[in-house]
Amino acid sequence: MTIAARVLLSALLVFPVPLALAEECLPVFKLDSMQVSDITELQGVAVPAVPAPKNTGYDFGTGRGHRQREEAARPENAGSDLNGVLPERYPLYSPFKAGRIRLTSLIRLTIDAEKGKAEIEFPRVEFEDARAGDRASTFIRAAPEISSPLLSWAAVICSGRRYLGYKGSGLKLPEKSGAYSINETLALGSLKALVGKTHPWLATAPAGKASPELDHLCAADFPERMKDYKIETLPAGLDGFNFKYDPEKNALKITWKAAR
């Protein structure tokens, strides 16, 4: 150690540094002599209190407000569209309401110079998860028109007394010129009321008192009231066209002379 260092050390030992200066210049290690009450409380970032939960009216099961559902269910609002929310009495066609439904049908036409043939396989309705009351009833109407008859038929799809929709078709049988026409309509869910436009004879005759929901089409006695529109009651012939029903294939076979 040098002479200067020894002199400085001696001075420090003889003349101690004032306490205030020591605390300001040197670190203080005195935790072992402190009481809990001497430790200043740590002040962290202020976090606001969590507000009490409030009922917002949101229904997590449906993704819409329950107030809207209550409004839609009121009788005075039946049939109205409340921002896209339909009353439960107008059930939408969906897997959650009635399960998936498969419809199949076929129309074949063969015409040559001397004769003509047509075969109609009426709609078959298959319910994926059939429940009691799930059913489909087919009705047909043959009406004479200028040149050739018009066949119109539809399969009405029901779940109990609830009307789900229909699969309908029309065939204007070939005229002497060979001209004919076919049209088909599938209307389910919110579009099911189209039956009144495409098959008015089905929606109104003989339906008794019709309801806006068209549930009368699925009434237990409706097929009996429509007995004149069953496939089995079609006439054997009309305007030179001959009809024969095949119950095993659920098909109608039609024949006629092309040069009638």
Side-chain angles (χ1 to χ4, degrees):
M1 180 179 294
T2 63
I3 297 176
R6 290 176 181 174
V7 173
L8 177 60
L9 179 60
S10 300
L12 289 174
L13 292 175
V14 176
F15 303 100
V17 179
L19 180 61
L21 180 61
E23 289 181 350
E24 181 178 353
C25 299
L26 300 176
V28 178
F29 300 94
K30 58 179 182 177
L31 289 178
D32 56 342
S33 62
M34 294 179 64
Q35 302 296 325
V36 174
S37 58
D38 297 329
I39 301 175
T40 305
E41 181 180 359
L42 176 65
Q43 297 294 331
V45 179
V47 179
V50 178
K54 295 182 180 180
N55 184 1
T56 62
Y58 189 85
D59 188 337
F60 288 93
T62 62
R64 56 172 73 109
H66 66 73
R67 293 185 180 86
Q68 286 182 315
R69 292 173 60 84
E70 293 171 356
E71 286 292 327
R74 294 180 181 176
E76 62 267 24
N77 291 325
S80 62
D81 187 348
L82 301 177
N83 297 324
V85 181
L86 294 177
E88 282 298 314
R89 60 192 300 184
Y90 286 86
L92 293 179
Y93 178 79
S94 71
F96 302 101
K97 294 292 183 180
R100 295 181 178 89
I101 297 176
R102 180 182 179 183
L103 295 135
T104 57
S105 61
L106 181 66
I107 302 173
R108 293 190 184 95
L109 276 173
T110 304
I111 306 173
D112 59 29
E114 296 183 358
K115 60 183 179 181
K117 292 188 300 182
E119 183 174 323
I120 301 168
E121 290 185 13
F122 294 108
R124 295 182 182 272
V125 181
E126 300 173 20
F127 294 86
E128 184 181 58
D129 298 312
R131 306 174 185 177
D134 289 349
R135 67 187 189 280
S137 303
T138 301
F139 305 98
I140 187 169
R141 175 178 179 262
E145 289 195 354
I146 299 174
S147 302
S148 65
L150 172 65
L151 289 180
S152 178
W153 64 94
V156 176
I157 305 168
C158 303
S159 179
R161 291 183 58 89
R162 190 176 64 190
Y163 168 64
L164 299 181
Y166 75 104
K167 168 71 162 56
S169 304
L171 170 61
K172 181 73 164 61
L173 289 166
E175 303 173 355
K176 291 182 180 180
S177 63
Y180 63 90
S181 63
I182 299 173
N183 64 75
E184 291 192 304
T185 303
L186 174 63
L188 304 168
S190 59
L191 299 178
K192 60 188 179 181
L194 284 176
V195 68
K197 295 181 178 180
T198 63
H199 293 66
W201 57 270
L202 176 59
T204 59
K209 185 179 180 181
S211 61
E213 299 86 356
L214 297 173
D215 287 344
H216 63 280
L217 297 177
C218 293
D221 62 342
F222 188 72
E224 178 61 26
R225 284 187 274 141
M226 295 289 288
K227 60 184 178 181
D228 293 336
Y229 296 90
K230 292 184 178 180
I231 300 171
E232 298 84 352
T233 60
L234 270 177
L238 179 64
D239 293 345
F241 291 85
N242 305 306
F243 306 117
K244 184 178 180 180
Y245 177 61
D246 184 347
E248 187 173 339
K249 295 181 62 176
N250 191 31
L252 181 67
K253 297 182 178 180
I254 310 168
T255 58
W256 68 92
K257 291 183 178 180
R260 62 189 184 283

